[in-house]
Amino acid sequence: MSFVSVTSFKQSNSNITNFSPNLYEMGNENQTAIESTSLLLEQKIFFHSQLSIAVSAADMIFYWKRCDVLSNFISQFYFHSYEAKKLDKNAISTIINELVENAAKFSDKENSIVQIEIKDLGTDLRIEVKNHVTPWMKAIFENKIQSIKEGDINQLYFDALESRNNGSGSEGMGLLILLKDYHLNLAYEFTKTEKSGFDLTIRVHIPVENNQKDLAL
């Protein structure tokens, strides 16, 4: 299966599947957004540097603080490359933390590995987080995407927030935060594995040019 995009703008290009619910009609001002989504879906891409990290899902779950430590490390690692562009370290760290926590929480087995790969594209950081999920979790994820496609992302966000505050669960909260608060372009891919289940890879492009504006809450 190829990557499918979850974007923050509306367009009619049949080659790009769009799942974002609160969108405006495409105009000339959306050209940059379209190009960003096309870049997001490219598999082979030029990059300046690459950082790959593999962690145990069980370690992340047992010591949640490690997700924060890992995210801060990655953010700090790239900060000096973009210091002149005023890279928002806190925003980068929060985005990566949401992805890693989500992958650890919904991994198939306790001994599953969460793989994090970061590529410096010059104008963006490409973050890919991969973990193994059961067919059941695959269905839950796809249902969440469908609800985002058909619903109001603001209402979905506040419903999830209310559920979390009531202690009744908050599945999909991390994805909603990335789409609603950070307006990111995301893509995901399921790959069938030899063993039971699927590898789920979530890809995010974090802009590093005009970063303060693009990631402003």
Side-chain angles (χ1 to χ4, degrees), residues 22-132:
N22 295 312
L23 310 173
Y24 46 88
E25 292 298 327
M26 182 180 67
N28 293 335
E29 69 276 9
N30 291 30
Q31 186 61 39
T32 299
I34 295 173
E35 292 172 356
S36 296
T37 300
S38 297
L39 182 67
L40 179 72
L41 297 176
E42 289 289 334
Q43 290 287 71
K44 295 182 179 180
I45 195 168
F46 173 80
F47 57 90
H48 298 288
S49 65
Q50 178 176 340
L51 175 66
S52 298
I53 301 172
V55 296
S56 165
D59 283 347
M60 296 295 104
I61 293 171
F62 195 75
Y63 301 103
W64 277 118
K65 183 63 178 176
R66 289 182 176 176
C67 294
D68 187 49
V69 171
L70 176 63
S71 302
N72 286 336
F73 162 74
I74 296 172
S75 177
Q76 184 67 27
F77 185 87
Y78 282 102
F79 171 71
H80 297 289
S81 301
Y82 296 101
E83 190 170 4
K85 297 180 180 180
K86 299 181 180 180
L87 182 70
D88 189 335
K89 291 188 295 183
N90 292 330
I92 302 301
S93 180
T94 299
I95 292 166
I96 296 173
N97 187 74
E98 292 292 344
L99 292 170
V100 173
E101 282 193 357
N102 186 74
K105 182 178 180 181
F106 297 107
S107 287
D108 181 8
K109 298 178 180 178
E110 291 184 358
N111 60 351
S112 289
I113 298 300
V114 176
Q115 297 177 334
I116 305 105
E117 182 178 272
I118 304 94
K119 291 180 179 178
D120 176 3
L121 307 184
T123 58
D124 300 80
L125 291 180
R126 169 177 284 194
I127 314 295
E128 289 189 354
V129 178
K130 181 168 72 174
N131 63 298
H132 190 72

Side-chain angles (χ1 to χ4, degrees), residues 174-193:
L175 180 62
L176 290 170
I177 287 173
L178 298 183
L179 291 172
K180 178 183 179 298
D181 291 345
Y182 293 97
H183 314 292
L184 290 179
N185 285 339
L186 298 90
Y188 69 91
E189 178 184 56
F190 283 105
T191 304
K192 188 72 174 68
T193 60

